[in-house]
Amino acid sequence: MNEKAKGGDIMTNRLDRRAVLKGLASVPLAAGLGMPALAQSPEKVKFLLDWTWWPPQIPLLVAHDKGFFGKAGLDVEMRQGAGSGTTCQVVGQGSYDIGHVNQTTAAQSIAKGIPIKSVATIANKGASALVFKKGTIGGVKDLLGKRIGTTAGGSDAQILPAFFTKNGIEDTQVTLVNLPGDAKLGALLSDQIDVVSGDGYYYIALAAEKGVELEQLLFGDFEANTIGYGLISNTSFIDAHPERISRFVAACLEGYHYVDANMDEAIAIYRRISGTAQTDETVHEILKGFLDLIKSGVTDGKPYSGVNDPQVWGGTLEILTAYGGLISDKDQSEYWTNAFVPS
């Protein structure tokens, strides 16, 4: 099956953030999208991921590779991204139609006036957690006096004060150690710090590859949840092509269901497309951790439904307003819609 029959092209080169900031602002909004498609022709969708290839994107790659987009009558161009913030910006400019992003980042972008909206939420529970070697922390109060590695400006660092406040911990009762994101795991494994903040399932899988077992306190289990990954679209594209978005969302969700039932095949597809240097075992652990996170955050009785939950969105906006510097009087209806998720 060729790529067009599957439903489009996968662009192996990632979007250059510098090109976004310097050049893409001149691209016309939703250029060419007003031309009607032929009745039998697949309809074009430009889809930008959150980052370079990594395992939580596997269901989306599988949706493409297995022809789910093509079956839905879509010709999808999928490209690697350069961070959720950049993807929000580029989709907001209309240079891409749909993006895969951390919805907490999308919320902050929407509050700033970027014309995007969530059309599906995949993970109602965020991945931010405090991670530590197995057996060293038994509960929240065991954090007192510990050295916690965090990255200033990182999304987990913004939520950390909410976790402390909700659980009765004063800043003076712990020692925060500012570290680059790529230095936190090494610092934990070498005992330079006791705990790191970050995406729990990801650190746990990477440490397992090195023979070290980690555990986590997930912020979402301790009254400090912020929404995880989902799909956004430009508001102009939403108005112009609602049926196209509905079919796109349904094909993506089919990818999640398929991967959950066929993980070995899905990992093989990911390896072929991404050329990853990670072992199959590590990819499996990261992917399983991500899917388990999705299932643990289910609010409507079933995973992979795509539904935006108003309580989850409300809690996220409350935390971002109180601790993340979000300033907005927008109604929730300006952040998300469930018009495109399967009934």
Side-chain angles (χ1 to χ4, degrees):
M1 182 183 291
N2 63 38
E3 291 299 326
K4 290 298 181 184
K6 291 175 181 178
D9 299 310
I10 293 181
M11 310 298 286
T12 56
N13 58 315
R14 72 177 177 89
L15 198 67
D16 190 318
R17 185 175 183 272
R18 289 171 296 181
V20 172
L21 297 177
K22 293 181 180 179
L24 286 183
S26 63
V27 177
L29 183 65
L33 295 177
M35 298 178 63
L38 298 175
Q40 303 272 325
S41 299
E43 296 176 299
K44 185 75 175 178
V45 173
K46 296 182 69 178
F47 180 39
L48 185 59
L49 297 172
D50 57 304
W51 198 244
T52 53
W53 305 133
W54 73 305
Q57 299 164 345
I58 289 176
L60 306 171
L61 294 175
V62 166
H64 186 284
D65 194 79
K66 299 297 292 185
F68 300 158
F69 291 129
K71 183 177 65 175
L74 299 174
D75 174 14
V76 175
E77 174 194 314
M78 183 187 300
R79 186 185 290 269
Q80 298 174 77
S84 287
T86 301
T87 295
C88 287
Q89 181 180 346
V90 175
V91 173
Q93 291 172 350
S95 304
Y96 279 77
D97 309 315
I98 297 175
H100 174 250
V101 299
N102 185 310
Q103 298 276 49
T104 296
T105 302
Q108 293 167 317
S109 298
I110 293 166
K112 293 175 182 176
I114 293 179
I116 56 174
K117 184 177 288 190
S118 170
V119 295
T121 288
I122 304 301
N124 275 301
K125 184 179 283 187
S128 292
L130 293 177
V131 187
F132 40 85
K133 289 183 178 179
K134 183 177 180 181
T136 60
I137 302 291
V140 171
K141 295 306 179 183
D142 290 335
L143 295 170
L144 302 183
K146 296 297 190 291
R147 300 162 298 171
I148 301 176
T150 186
T151 302
S155 58
D156 56 291
Q158 291 184 348
I159 308 167
L160 191 56
F163 174 87
F164 287 157
T165 299
K166 300 282 188 180
N167 292 279
I169 297 177
E170 300 288 340
D171 290 346
T172 56
Q173 294 177 300
V174 297
T175 299
L176 296 181
V177 181
N178 184 33
L179 293 168
D182 58 2
K184 289 192 290 189
L185 180 60
L188 176 65
L189 298 186
S190 61
D191 295 321
Q192 298 175 57
I193 55 176
D194 307 301
V195 182
V196 297
S197 64
D199 287 358
Y201 67 85
Y202 192 69
Y203 281 120
I204 288 170
L206 294 184
E209 189 176 34
K210 300 177 183 297
V212 180
E213 193 169 356
L214 301 182
E215 297 176 316
Q216 64 177 323
L217 296 177
L218 198 63
F219 290 178
D221 291 336
F222 292 88
E223 301 184 52
N225 184 55
T226 53
I227 199 165
Y229 275 92
L231 303 172
I232 58 164
S233 184
N234 178 282
T235 53
S236 294
F237 192 78
I238 289 173
D239 292 338
H241 303 290
E243 180 57 29
R244 203 177 301 183
I245 296 174
S246 293
R247 286 183 278 127
F248 182 90
V249 169
C252 288
L253 297 178
E254 186 176 0
Y256 283 91
H257 285 285
Y258 189 91
V259 167
D260 202 0
N262 302 276
M263 288 188 66
D264 289 343
E265 179 189 357
I267 291 169
I269 291 171
Y270 173 69
R271 177 167 297 284
R272 169 167 51 80
I273 293 172
S274 71
T276 180
Q278 290 180 321
T279 66
D280 284 355
E281 290 78 10
T282 298
V283 173
H284 182 277
E285 287 307 303
I286 296 171
L287 177 59
K288 182 178 183 299
F290 180 59
L291 297 182
D292 286 347
L293 179 71
I294 293 173
K295 294 172 188 175
S296 72
V298 167
T299 59
D300 61 351
K302 56 183 179 179
Y304 321 129
S305 69
V307 171
N308 287 287
D309 186 290
Q311 287 189 314
V312 175
W313 270 98
T316 297
L317 294 173
E318 178 183 331
I319 286 176
L320 291 177
T321 299
Y323 303 97
L326 186 146
I327 301 173
S328 176
D329 58 359
K330 293 180 183 292
D331 185 77
Q332 274 206 43
S333 62
E334 297 185 68
Y335 288 88
W336 58 267
T337 175
N338 281 325
F340 307 112
V341 297
S343 57

